[in-house]
Amino acid sequence: MKRFEDSAAIITGPSDQGIGGAIAERLADEGADLILLGLDKPTRLIKRLVRRGTSVCWHRVDVTNSQMIQKAVTCCYEELGHIEILVNNAGVEFSKKFEEIEDDEWDKLISVNLTGAMKMTRAVLPFLTEQGGVIINIASVLGMAGCPGFHAYSASKAGLIGMTQSLALEIAPYGQRAVCVSPAIVQTPMAHKHSADLSSEAWQKLEDAHPLGIGRPQDVADVVAFLASHEARWMTGMSIPLGWIPSFGLPAPTNSSMIHSSELSKKPVISTK
């Protein structure tokens, strides 16, 4: 029997090539039914999942919108009758000097990365299976070590780690768990838009901060699958660093790799990893 057979997993912000999509495929490989929530439909991902025979349901949801979330979660529960796993993966980011940050772009990022995860978790908890249900938050190296230019992103991920720790204590009496993973740099479209602007020297510094090399989405997905499984039943409230050593800070980005606020305003409220 596969580890996640007869289990249903909700994943926010999945994309065709990012971490969320890799998590979806990894859980599907082990038998999970999937509910994918986000703004941009990952058409190629869904086609791959359907070809494998996975039960997959897509709902267009903005994780900053409580009504959309509640409607989608309730619909999923009514259709499947159970929810065992929630993966809060949806996120956005930008990089710029601290004194140049605008109020609206700070608020937008926090509303997706941190408040969005809170709203998703709040909606799912009443339906989450007791004695085995798990919430997995995708945090970041930048929530534990920090990096110049990524102030809002670091704050959102540090907040997500703290929320996970408190939530884990609250839901433990019901046999439910909450955990984080904090990946270093992973080869995703979100990372590539910054790496393209880095000098060879700056890129070498980044590689030096990753003793085992830059990660792949599948590396994160493998750890998420373990944390979602019964084998991790005694693990809760922690954030697991992936691909880096916590004592290593990441080098500052060059000015050319920092995104101007006007570019952020052109992007949808939810990006995907």
Side-chain angles (χ1 to χ4, degrees), residues 10-76:
I10 296 178
I11 303 170
T12 67
S15 65
D16 293 320
Q17 298 178 316
I19 291 174
I23 293 171
E25 294 190 88
R26 186 69 171 79
L27 297 183
D29 284 345
E30 298 207 48
D33 295 330
L34 300 179
I35 304 101
L36 308 180
L37 309 182
L39 283 181
D40 299 318
K41 187 174 184 178
T43 304
R44 286 179 294 172
L45 170 64
I46 291 173
K47 286 182 179 179
R48 293 197 300 267
L49 292 168
V50 170
R51 282 198 297 267
R52 297 178 183 184
T54 302
S55 172
V56 56
C57 183
W58 161 259
H59 289 268
R60 188 178 186 278
V61 172
D62 179 343
V63 299
T64 69
N65 187 310
S66 297
Q67 290 183 332
M68 292 181 73
I69 291 171
Q70 193 62 56
K71 181 178 179 180
V73 170
T74 301
C75 178
C76 293

Side-chain angles (χ1 to χ4, degrees), residues 43-249:
T43 304
R44 286 179 294 172
L45 170 64
I46 291 173
K47 286 182 179 179
R48 293 197 300 267
L49 292 168
V50 170
R51 282 198 297 267
R52 297 178 183 184
T54 302
S55 172
V56 56
C57 183
W58 161 259
H59 289 268
R60 188 178 186 278
V61 172
D62 179 343
V63 299
T64 69
N65 187 310
S66 297
Q67 290 183 332
M68 292 181 73
I69 291 171
Q70 193 62 56
K71 181 178 179 180
V73 170
T74 301
C75 178
C76 293
Y77 183 78
E78 289 177 349
E79 180 176 343
L80 298 173
H82 55 96
I83 299 171
E84 281 73 32
I85 303 164
L86 168 63
V87 180
N88 284 312
N89 170 75
V92 296
E93 52 84 39
F94 68 87
S95 171
K96 64 193 310 184
K97 293 180 178 179
F98 195 91
E99 64 269 23
E100 296 177 356
I101 298 172
E102 301 289 343
D103 289 354
D104 61 344
E105 58 189 355
W106 176 283
D107 293 342
K108 182 179 291 185
L109 187 147
I110 297 295
S111 71
V112 175
N113 294 7
L114 180 55
T115 310
M118 180 278 291
K119 291 180 177 181
M120 279 299 310
T121 302
R122 183 178 61 188
V124 168
L125 272 179
F127 304 109
L128 189 67
T129 298
E130 294 189 6
Q131 304 305 320
V134 60
I135 295 164
I136 302 174
N137 293 319
I138 307 302
S140 169
V141 52
L142 298 184
M144 301 178 78
C147 178
F150 288 88
H151 316 286
Y153 189 76
S154 292
S156 71
K157 295 303 185 178
L160 191 58
I161 292 169
M163 185 183 80
T164 302
Q165 293 170 340
S166 295
L167 178 64
L169 294 172
E170 187 169 311
I171 64 178
Y174 306 101
Q176 299 165 330
R177 298 181 294 117
V179 290
C180 269
V181 294
S182 293
I185 295 178
V186 178
Q187 296 173 8
T188 67
M190 181 179 279
H192 290 163
K193 70 180 181 182
H194 292 294
S195 63
D197 293 327
L198 294 177
S199 67
S200 58
E201 181 181 0
W203 183 251
Q204 185 60 52
K205 289 181 178 179
L206 282 175
E207 288 189 331
D208 290 343
H210 296 71
L212 298 176
I214 305 300
R216 305 167 304 152
Q218 291 78 12
D219 295 324
V220 182
D222 288 343
V223 176
V224 169
F226 166 70
L227 291 173
S229 73
H230 181 73
E231 285 91 337
R233 59 166 295 278
W234 211 34
M235 300 176 68
T236 194
M238 63 188 62
S239 182
I240 300 178
L242 302 180
W244 62 287
I245 297 173
S247 60
F248 288 5

